[in-house]
Amino acid sequence: MASFFHVYCPEGVSSKYRLIVFDDSKEAFIPLTEFYHDQVNRISESSVIAYLNVLEPFFYWLKYQSRYKARKVWWDDESEAVKEAVRQYLLDQMHCKIRGRDGHEGVYLTSKSSKTVQLFLSAIKGFYKTMIRLKKYSHANPLIDLEFKESVSEQPGERGNRPRMPKAAGTEEPLSYRKQTDSYFKIINEEWVPEIIGDWDLPYRYA
């Protein structure tokens, strides 16, 4: 199956890029190439390659199957268009269930969900952070919950209607940040959600 792919620059070839990502037409895809070179200076190369491996199928899908208001979505499109494309990818290609919540959307894993959902969400969020930092994407990060900071800062303290005391004071129960993230798409369940089976006689087959 055709997809985007990456190759290392052969020895003896002069290029500013150590690795180049190509699209399915074998044309260099600079956004992902720049993403690799930015991230490899921040995290391990194996982690960046893992990111590329989940992003390349998405960008191939984006090129041919994405839709927003009856048009194709481009990687540098407006935030809402990219957000909708990611939502459809999670539903159609990664077999997740999605439910809207205040300011974000909850992602529920099912028995058919890809094992790389969390990796994909981290990768695509990091990709847009990089593009914004490199001034190659001019919109707000579509993978960020813009209301997150306000919701966290408004967490009430134990004393009621008063700001929380500093953590060092030790006078209040610490906040759990396990589920608190600024991601727009938040994985709600750690394990897959069983789906209802339509076979009414299933319980009796092995009785």
Side-chain angles (χ1 to χ4, degrees):
M1 176 178 153
S3 184
F4 285 37
F5 62 96
H6 58 270
V7 297
Y8 287 95
C9 186
E11 291 185 13
V13 175
S14 178
S15 174
K16 69 175 183 177
Y17 296 123
R18 177 169 172 264
L19 174 148
I20 302 175
V21 177
F22 293 91
D23 63 17
D24 58 308
S25 301
K26 298 184 179 179
E27 296 288 335
F29 187 68
I30 300 304
L32 277 181
T33 301
E34 293 281 6
F35 170 70
Y36 165 84
H37 287 86
D38 176 77
Q39 289 295 302
V40 81
N41 293 319
R42 298 170 179 272
I43 59 177
S44 69
E45 181 168 22
S46 61
S47 296
V48 186
I49 295 299
Y51 280 172
L52 287 183
N53 287 336
V54 295
L55 288 176
E56 288 163 355
F58 169 73
F59 281 96
Y60 175 77
W61 176 91
L62 191 73
K63 181 178 178 180
Y64 292 104
Q65 299 186 49
S66 62
R67 288 290 181 272
Y68 177 71
K69 296 183 177 179
R71 65 174 177 82
K72 185 186 299 183
V73 179
W74 302 96
W75 76 267
D76 57 352
D77 222 319
E78 60 185 281
S79 296
E80 285 304 315
V82 174
K83 195 176 293 181
E84 177 59 26
V86 172
R87 180 187 296 110
Q88 288 302 317
Y89 189 75
L90 288 168
L91 289 168
D92 300 340
Q93 302 298 308
M94 306 201 92
H95 306 291
C96 299
K97 302 290 185 183
I98 297 180
R99 299 288 183 270
R101 297 190 166 202
D102 294 337
H104 69 275
E105 296 194 60
V107 177
Y108 295 81
L109 306 183
T110 71
S111 59
K112 295 181 180 179
S113 293
S114 167
K115 295 180 180 179
T116 60
V117 174
Q118 182 65 66
L119 182 63
F120 167 71
L121 288 174
S122 297
I124 193 67
K125 178 181 173 183
F127 170 79
Y128 280 100
K129 280 186 175 181
T130 294
M131 293 299 101
I132 291 170
R133 186 169 57 250
L134 298 180
K135 302 188 185 310
K136 295 182 181 296
Y137 185 72
S138 58
H139 307 281
N141 191 326
L143 281 301
I144 294 290
D145 175 4
L146 298 179
E147 299 177 12
F148 173 74
K149 288 185 178 180
E150 293 182 7
S151 65
V152 171
S153 63
E154 291 173 0
Q155 285 279 0
E158 297 292 338
R159 298 171 295 159
N161 298 321
R162 294 190 182 185
R164 292 186 63 86
M165 292 292 288
K167 180 180 177 181
T171 57
E172 300 190 74
E173 288 293 324
L175 290 173
S176 172
Y177 288 95
R178 185 170 181 269
K179 293 295 184 181
Q180 296 191 27
T181 167
D182 65 354
S183 297
Y184 178 77
F185 292 101
K186 307 184 197 303
I187 293 182
I188 303 302
N189 59 320
E190 297 296 333
E191 299 180 356
W192 60 267
V193 176
E195 296 185 75
I196 297 174
I197 299 174
D199 296 337
W200 65 271
D201 63 335
L202 184 63
Y204 307 100
R205 290 183 185 176
Y206 305 101

